[in-house]
Amino acid sequence: MPVTDTLCIDGVWRPAADGATREIIDPADGSVLATVAEAGVRDADAAVAAARRAFDSGPWPRTPVMERAALLRRVADLLVRDREEIALTESRDTGKTLAEGRVDVDDVTAAFRWFATLVESEPAGRVVDAGTPDVHSSVVHEPVGVCTLITPWNYPLLQASWKVAPALAAGNTLVLKPSELTPLSTVHLLGLLAEAGLPAGVAGLVTGAGDPVGARLAVHPDVDLVSFTGGLASGTKVAAAAAATVKKVALELGGKNPNVVFADACATQDGFDATVDQALNAAFAHSGQVCSAGSRLIVEESVRERFVAELAARADRIRLGRGTAPDVECGPLVSAAQLAKVEAHVADALAEGAVLRAGGGRPAPGPDLPAGGFFHSPTVLDRCHREMRVVREEVFGPVLTVETFRTEEEAVALANDTEYGLAGAVFSADTARARRVAGRLRHGTVWINDFHPYLPQAEWGGYGRSGTGRELGSAGLAEYRETKHVYENLRPAAVRWFAG
Ligand code: NAD
């Protein structure tokens, strides 16, 4: 595989200044999938300098909104054209199934379309009544400036699109740093932005490590805003680095998401089947490597045994394998390190008294399961409680813990007993109860009788340590705008505050 010049600075594709490279690993078998440029601090600085020039003296911040929206729509059209190619790249790079890769590309396309529509329809400003006809007062929105956008490995292109589309819609320039584990689809996106006609320098790309490259982008004095999606540990470092120059900061961090199941949701056979199915999807989609994964099942005690037995049986039937293979339902974890982390969590949980109902470790290699792949079986741990590490910490793998409750009050207390607050769900046939519980959950997204869907028109983000700020919705555009009040005196005269 040839070395690729994957840094895009000032519209030019180039290698790292010091020639460093990184091998991108195929998580399905541990082989080398591609080799990319490994940026360093010098490259990060060059990318910021280019974005700064493009913002301070380039055309993009002053390009009419209709033209910016048209460009986003051209990007969306190009994503549709390249759908299969990008889905395949995402599947190979992250390990997710090809079907999941296709959904991702469709969601990325929808994000570009949403922000095109939003920026056209949102008023550029508003006139404020100053209380006198002698003053014209208006509030206008302007781009923030140079934005650095740092993204994780689980949804590389999707997370990038939630940042790139609004940042460009609002007229900013940007430097994008994808996860060092999964940069390939982001490289493709930068090509599409250029093809759609984005002026050189407006969007830069540096492929490289969190430290030093992401860290440099977070602290750089010429950067005005940092939008970060990733883990809590890195997010707190980014927030601290950005504080030194009082940058605007948006953080989308982890989650430990409760899935609350009331017995009445399982009163009919159809209800039972649907609720088990949703719990399975909540926990094991993309092998549980989802920030909003429903990794904590909190089920009413009276249905626990029947519910968990069925869930565990279905978890054992999930077909594991290379994400690109037909009929595979779950791919590998992204890396050997992630696999080791998941294994350690399961071992700890069992040592702390959890009861293994499904999975538990690496599956035996087979025709669909290459020996070098980072596979872990979908795992169900029963009899868990809130003191266990596996219940408190984000595992980010195919591990579901089971806790039980007897009263609605207890269910709410358990669901809110987390330092995170990204997402949660309640399943109940009693509409009043479902809404009551949903209203009390301290999470940024709450599903009733469903799990995982989100809408580009609706805000996404976390309470507590799941982050600050919101992506998507109209707040997702507001993050990338400054607000300015212009007060115009139409009848200038001396104020005579001072007598002399
Ligand atoms: P991570 O924190 O390890 O890395 C995320 C990004 O930050 C990567 O690009 C990495 O290189 C960079 N980074 C690491 N250290 C840095 C530093 N000191 N300064 C600047 N950048 C740094 O996270 P990950 O393992 O790639 O992703 C998984 C995490 O992302 C999970 O916690 C998951 O919940 C979270 N996530 C959250 C959302 C959301 O919407 N809230 C969405 C997807 C993923």
Side-chain angles (χ1 to χ4, degrees), residues 478-491:
E479 294 278 1
Y480 293 92
R481 285 171 148 179
E482 286 285 15
T483 302
K484 179 188 281 179
H485 175 207
V486 181
Y487 180 103
E488 185 181 2
N489 189 343
L490 303 175
R491 197 185 291 271

Side-chain angles (χ1 to χ4, degrees), residues 151-153 177 180 210 214-215 228-231 234 253-254 291 394 396 460:
T151 53
W153 49 258
K177 196 209 83 65
E180 55 273 43
F228 172 89
T229 301
S234 329
L253 308 178
C291 53
E394 187 183 44
F396 226 58
W460 176 268

Side-chain angles (χ1 to χ4, degrees), residues 153-219:
W153 49 258
N154 60 337
Y155 287 94
L157 203 57
L158 185 63
Q159 298 304 323
S161 73
W162 292 9
K163 302 180 191 303
V164 171
L168 293 179
N172 298 280
T173 63
L174 61 92
V175 178
L176 188 52
K177 196 209 83 65
S179 166
E180 55 273 43
L181 299 179
T182 57
L184 302 180
S185 59
T186 310
V187 172
H188 193 118
L189 176 67
L190 262 282
L192 298 188
L193 295 178
E195 191 180 344
L198 190 69
V202 173
L205 172 68
V206 282
T207 50
D211 194 358
V213 180
R216 177 63 183 157
L217 293 174
V219 82

Side-chain angles (χ1 to χ4, degrees), residues 339-404:
L339 175 58
K341 179 182 167 199
V342 171
E343 287 181 311
H345 267 293
V346 172
D348 270 13
L350 296 176
E352 287 183 285
V355 175
L356 188 65
R357 300 289 296 262
R362 301 183 190 202
D368 294 333
L369 291 166
F374 311 131
F375 295 96
H376 193 284
S377 302
T379 295
V380 178
L381 296 170
D382 200 0
R383 307 277 177 194
C384 292
H385 54 79
R386 53 174 96 180
E387 281 73 39
M388 290 176 169
R389 196 166 76 91
V390 72
V391 173
R392 292 195 312 274
E393 294 180 13
E394 187 183 44
V395 177
F396 226 58
V399 177
L400 177 67
T401 61
V402 182
E403 299 158 86
T404 57

Side-chain angles (χ1 to χ4, degrees), residues 65-84:
V65 162
M66 301 295 256
E67 284 179 38
R68 295 206 297 256
L71 183 129
L72 295 190
R73 291 204 177 88
R74 285 198 294 280
V75 174
D77 292 343
L78 294 171
L79 286 161
V80 171
R81 182 195 70 190
D82 292 355
R83 180 176 187 255
E84 275 308 299

Side-chain angles (χ1 to χ4, degrees), residues 407-418:
T407 65
E408 184 178 314
E409 202 58 31
E410 210 184 330
V412 171
L414 279 173
N416 284 337
D417 186 18
T418 167

